Each structure stands twice: as structure tokens, then as C-alpha cells.
Amino acid sequence: MPTALITGATSGLGAAFARRLAADAYSLVLVSRDELRLAQVADQLKLRYGVSVEVLPADLATDDGLARVESRLRDGVDLLVNNAGFGHPGRFPEVPVEEEVRMLKVHCEAVLRLTLAVLPGMKERDGGAVINVSSMAAFYTRGTYSASKAWVLNFSESAASEVGNPRIKIMALCPGFVRTEFHQRAAMDTSGIPGFLWLKADAVVRAAMRDLAVGKRVSIPGLRYKAIVALSRLIPRSVQARVSARIGR
């Protein structure tokens, strides 16, 4: 039975990945800061799918939390889903530097370190996969969030080309607006976002797993978002920046 480790596993895309992989008979290792909620989610998955579920409470913004997850990954997993992340409600100059650094720690350093921790075991077993959750924001310019997600996208594509084993897949997942707790937790006003731009978490995960299976290095769920990315490549960066700033307000 294959094993998957998912960060940010108690809600949103992380929880959707957990449900999908449990249904596919993966043993799960769930990582989150919220120990109580982690235990509740694990119990639900065990009851519904009858799979083994291990919980690993860890704050990926801390060295201790990262070290705990790195240690578990070195024991061997077949699929790593780097999903943990968060947003800021404020504009770039207004966000406290401590929070900006925390975001870089979770979005960038954690993705780097956990990917590096899992790869030796995958190379030894001659196979495995890593899904790094980026964002549509990676294609635009909007503060530290989009910058950090652009790093995830670039890193994933670079790692995929340099890992040196076609049986080890590394993919960046770049969803648009998804119906999760993400925006509520970040105290973001989403009332102006058109309904047709919203995606369901389970649908995003289905698209991601399908794209991973066929070896894509970048997964963009939804035809509407594929079109948006294609259009963005035709627009000058200066214009993109102005549009992103207006949408953000």
C-alpha cells in the first residue's frame, strides 16, 4: 500500500487530497498545526475509507516543525503533497515583516526542504511523486504571496527537469479561486469575485491527479484558468501589475 504525506491537511485542498488518496487506498500521514482538528480528520478518514492514518502535528514556520516532517519523509513516502500555505489581507508595505518572513518560510523554505528530504528515498525505490501547491497568482504580481507562489512554480519545474529519474514526478499545481477556508482565514473580501471563477476543491484535486498521472509538470485546473494563463503571456508585465493591483483592491 503506497503512503502519502500531506501538509496543511485539515481543510481546503489538503483535506480534499486526503479524501482522494484515502479512496485510492493510500496510507496517509497528515501534517497540520492544529493537533485537535488533525485527530478529528484522521478519525473520519479511518472510519470512512478504512486506511491507515498517521498524524504529525507540526508548524512549518518553525525549524522544529520542519525537522519533524523532514525526519518522517526520510522514513519513506511515495507521494508528498506540499499544500500548507496562507494569505495576507493587507498590501505589501502594510504587512509586518515577521508575517512576510513567516510566509516565505512556509511557502518556500518548507517546500524546498521537504522536497529535498523525500527525494533520496524515492531515488532508492526508483519512483515517487511530489505535488507542490502553487497558485494562479504565480503568473501575476501581487505582493509576497504571488512572489512566493511564483518561486514554487519555478522551483517545481526546475526540480522536475533536474531530478534525473523519469519515474520520479514533480509537479506544480496552480489553481485559481477555490471554495475553501483560505480567504476567510486571511480576512479577505471575496464578494467581488465572479461566481464562474470559483472551483471546487475536489475538482481541483481530480485534475491534479490526472495531470500527475500523465506526467505534466504544471497543472492548471479548469479551462477558464488555462485561457487566463495563455492570455497573460501576451500581456506586458507592467500592464499585468496594474491589473493585479486593481483586482487586489
Side-chain angles (χ1 to χ4, degrees):
M1 182 178 291
T3 300
L5 185 147
I6 307 165
T7 68
T10 57
S11 64
L13 284 178
F17 268 110
R19 291 191 297 270
R20 166 59 189 264
L21 294 171
D24 288 346
Y26 276 77
S27 293
L28 301 178
V29 183
L30 307 183
V31 179
S32 172
R33 291 185 302 161
D34 190 335
E35 189 168 356
L36 177 60
R37 194 171 184 185
L38 203 54
Q40 293 172 340
V41 170
D43 287 342
Q44 292 167 1
L45 291 168
K46 291 176 188 175
L47 182 63
R48 181 173 181 181
Y49 299 101
V51 297
S52 170
V53 184
E54 176 184 343
V55 297
L56 180 52
D59 184 351
L60 299 183
T62 67
D63 286 332
D64 178 66
L66 280 171
R68 294 183 66 196
V69 182
E70 285 174 313
S71 177
R72 178 60 184 85
L73 288 170
R74 293 189 186 105
D75 289 338
V77 303
D78 302 282
L79 172 61
L80 165 64
V81 181
N82 278 313
N83 167 74
F86 61 95
H88 293 315
R91 294 166 61 85
F92 162 67
E94 301 163 359
V95 178
V97 66
E98 296 82 6
E99 284 300 301
E100 295 282 35
V101 171
R102 180 170 170 263
M103 176 173 282
L104 292 176
K105 187 94 172 177
V106 174
H107 290 186
C108 300
E109 183 179 343
V111 170
L112 171 66
R113 288 176 55 174
L114 300 187
T115 301
L116 286 172
V118 81
L119 284 178
M122 290 182 175
K123 290 179 179 178
E124 185 177 334
R125 294 189 305 279
D126 194 31
V130 178
I131 298 175
N132 293 324
V133 178
S134 179
S135 169
M136 277 292 295
F139 299 99
Y140 293 89
T141 54
R142 181 61 183 165
T144 305
Y145 182 82
S146 66
S148 65
K149 291 302 186 178
W151 183 91
V152 172
L153 173 61
N154 192 302
F155 167 74
S156 300
E157 290 186 280
S158 299
S161 65
E162 295 179 14
V163 71
N165 185 336
R167 295 176 64 85
I168 299 175
K169 300 174 182 179
I170 301 177
M171 185 183 78
L173 172 60
C174 301
F177 295 110
V178 185
R179 295 284 186 190
T180 68
E181 299 174 8
F182 176 88
H183 300 91
Q184 181 181 355
R185 287 184 173 185
M188 295 179 181
D189 179 10
T190 61
S191 59
I193 300 172
F196 72 90
L197 286 179
W198 287 101
L199 302 172
K200 294 181 179 180
D202 290 332
V204 170
V205 170
R206 280 196 303 271
M209 297 304 295
R210 183 173 60 246
D211 288 344
L212 183 70
V214 299
K216 289 189 178 182
R217 295 181 176 180
V218 178
S219 174
I220 303 171
L223 290 176
R224 73 213 80 169
Y225 283 110
K226 287 180 173 65
I228 290 171
V229 170
L231 180 63
S232 74
R233 290 169 176 156
L234 304 176
I235 300 174
R237 295 289 284 179
S238 59
V239 175
Q240 288 184 28
R242 290 197 295 272
V243 171
S244 296
R246 176 164 293 186
I247 292 174
R249 286 196 294 271

